[in-house]
Amino acid sequence: MPPRRTPFQAPFRVITARRRPLMAVLLALAVVVPLTLIGSIILMTPLPSFLLGGRTAEDCAQADTATTGVSETAKTDIPAEYLELYKKVGKEIGVQWNVLAAIGKRETDHGRSKLPGVAGGTNYAGAAGPMQFLISTWGGKAKIKIAPGINGYASDGDGDGYGDVYNPADAILGAAKMLKRNGAPDDLRRAIFVYNRATWYVDQVLEIAERYAVTGAIGLPPEADPACDIAYVDAVSGEVVQKILEYALAQRGKPYRWGGTGPDAFDCSGIIYMAYRHAGLSIPRTTFGQWPFGVRVEPGSERPGDLVFFNAGPGTSIDRPGHVGLVVAPGKMVEARCTRCGPIKVTTYGERPSIVGFTRPLENADVQAQLRRDLT
């Protein structure tokens, strides 16, 4: 009887000449891949594409179609005005339109419910409008003039200067911002749970969202998929800006941590500081230092690699912004926002009422000198 083997033992086999080339390749990979992974962690640089795989532009376009495709159920169940708003706002803010639509269905049947608090007043819990915001969460009043410093999700979706909780365009935009702040598009269960703190509610919303999608699934928008980074990186010219964007985009999915400069977590200025370091450039570490450092840029003239600054509440102001993001495309930025805001991600900044301004660190005199030294 042969000796009994444990699950971790294997019989010894002689490696024939025919197997040696294959074994050599396997042994090489066994050494190179771990070293590459360790080296990437130590240097905090993105992993090589052959390890990460990656998606082509066609793949990302197909993913976009999957997340925007409307099922027959959605076409027959959702009023045309609401459907267009869900799709427009979802794309603008970077959340799945069908999740927005599912919340609208679950809350008020897309505004068609005749219950109190939909077209006017509030319901028994104090919620109002087609997306059922608490008035306190909306901003303190049902209709509020949009201005810097609003403490709530009041939004102007129709461009009239006011956030009206009963206006579908305003309410849907506010709902999208709330989902985005709390983890959407990647951490949907968390984002929906914050919207209405019940697990059964989350399950119902996700079930409806699946029925509204042409694929029968809830896809991740391409902008939230790290494998689609090529859409941002390849769109910019210049190796320096490409390196800055490559590093920042590679940190998506990691958590926010105050004072963090990686590799496992970052704060808002920390990820930018390290992204510039990845490109061989030194800039100030904190938001307060980064604001006066770069050359000011007029709104609408910003480009990838620039910084966008925000008034972040107490202790910050228009002259002392407390939050910063890295511009990766027109209207888009990478940001590490806050502990409760979900992981580092690409977000939109055009709708943020608290924007202070834009700067271009690459045109700072010290940075220009660093670039010249690198060329000599």
Side-chain angles (χ1 to χ4, degrees):
M1 179 181 290
R4 186 179 176 189
R5 301 188 193 99
T6 68
F8 301 102
Q9 289 176 321
F12 173 79
R13 289 188 176 94
V14 176
I15 300 175
T16 65
R18 197 167 52 180
R19 293 194 182 99
R20 285 187 186 121
L22 176 59
M23 291 302 296
V25 172
L26 292 174
L27 287 171
L29 287 174
V31 173
V32 171
V33 172
L35 286 176
T36 304
L37 291 168
I38 293 168
S40 296
I41 292 170
I42 292 172
L43 296 175
M44 292 174 287
T45 58
L47 292 174
S49 59
F50 81 90
L51 290 174
L52 285 177
R55 303 175 71 177
T56 65
E58 183 179 357
D59 292 332
C60 293
Q62 289 174 350
D64 190 41
T65 300
T67 57
T68 56
V70 180
S71 70
E72 287 302 317
T73 299
K75 291 176 183 176
T76 57
D77 187 47
I78 305 173
E81 175 194 359
Y82 274 74
L83 180 57
E84 288 307 308
L85 285 171
Y86 293 135
K87 292 170 64 180
K88 173 180 175 290
V89 172
K91 186 174 182 62
E92 178 182 316
I93 301 301
V95 301
Q96 295 91 334
W97 74 268
N98 51 327
V99 174
L100 271 176
I103 290 174
K105 173 68 175 180
R106 180 62 187 77
E107 294 291 349
T108 66
D109 193 21
H110 311 298
R112 292 175 294 206
S113 171
K114 302 303 182 183
L115 292 173
V118 178
T122 62
N123 68 4
Y124 69 94
M131 303 304 281
Q132 291 291 277
F133 274 93
L134 295 175
I135 296 299
S136 58
T137 305
W138 184 250
K141 294 188 295 184
K143 188 172 183 178
I144 184 170
K145 186 173 179 59
I146 300 299
I150 290 177
N151 185 23
Y153 289 100
S155 302
D156 179 15
D158 60 1
D160 67 354
Y162 288 85
D164 184 348
V165 76
Y166 304 108
N167 181 305
D170 296 351
I172 291 170
L173 179 56
K177 291 178 180 179
M178 186 172 182
L179 289 173
K180 186 78 169 184
R181 179 181 177 87
N182 291 296
D186 36 13
D187 193 353
L188 284 176
R189 295 198 69 86
R190 179 182 186 277
I192 298 168
F193 183 81
V194 173
Y195 201 96
N196 188 335
R197 295 178 180 275
T199 54
W200 58 262
Y201 178 88
V202 176
D203 293 338
Q204 288 184 5
V205 166
L206 292 176
E207 182 182 347
I208 296 168
E210 288 175 354
R211 293 204 301 267
Y212 281 164
V214 71
T215 60
I218 303 172
L220 192 67
E223 69 171 26
D225 187 344
C228 292
D229 286 348
I230 189 170
Y232 294 115
V233 177
D234 279 11
V236 302
S237 59
E239 184 180 355
V240 171
V241 176
Q242 286 183 341
K243 285 183 176 180
I244 292 169
L245 265 58
E246 282 172 354
Y247 182 92
L249 290 165
Q251 312 314 314
R252 285 186 291 175
K254 295 181 180 179
Y256 173 93
R257 185 176 68 219
W258 187 83
T261 54
D264 56 331
F266 298 81
D267 67 8
C268 65
S269 56
I271 188 173
I272 294 169
Y273 171 73
M274 293 303 297
Y276 271 77
R277 275 191 60 181
H278 176 65
L281 301 173
S282 178
I283 67 171
R285 160 65 187 90
T286 68
T287 305
F288 296 144
Q290 290 172 2
W291 169 240
F293 182 79
V295 173
R296 300 291 173 87
V297 177
E298 288 297 315
S301 300
E302 70 274 9
R303 58 188 187 223
D306 290 347
L307 308 186
V308 52
F309 293 85
F310 304 85
N311 183 347
T316 70
S317 67
I318 194 168
D319 298 317
R320 186 177 165 81
H323 181 60
V324 62
L326 174 69
V327 177
V328 296
K332 302 288 185 181
M333 65 178 173
V334 169
E335 67 169 338
R337 190 168 184 181
C338 70
T339 304
R340 296 175 56 199
C341 300
I344 294 168
K345 66 188 78 173
V346 172
T347 62
T348 55
Y349 58 77
E351 289 294 322
R352 297 268 187 97
S354 55
I355 292 179
V356 170
F358 301 85
T359 70
R360 187 164 296 152
L362 289 174
E363 291 188 1
N364 174 274
D366 290 342
V367 172
Q368 288 287 305
Q370 293 172 47
L371 291 169
R372 285 193 296 271
R373 284 197 299 271
D374 291 341
L375 292 174
T376 58

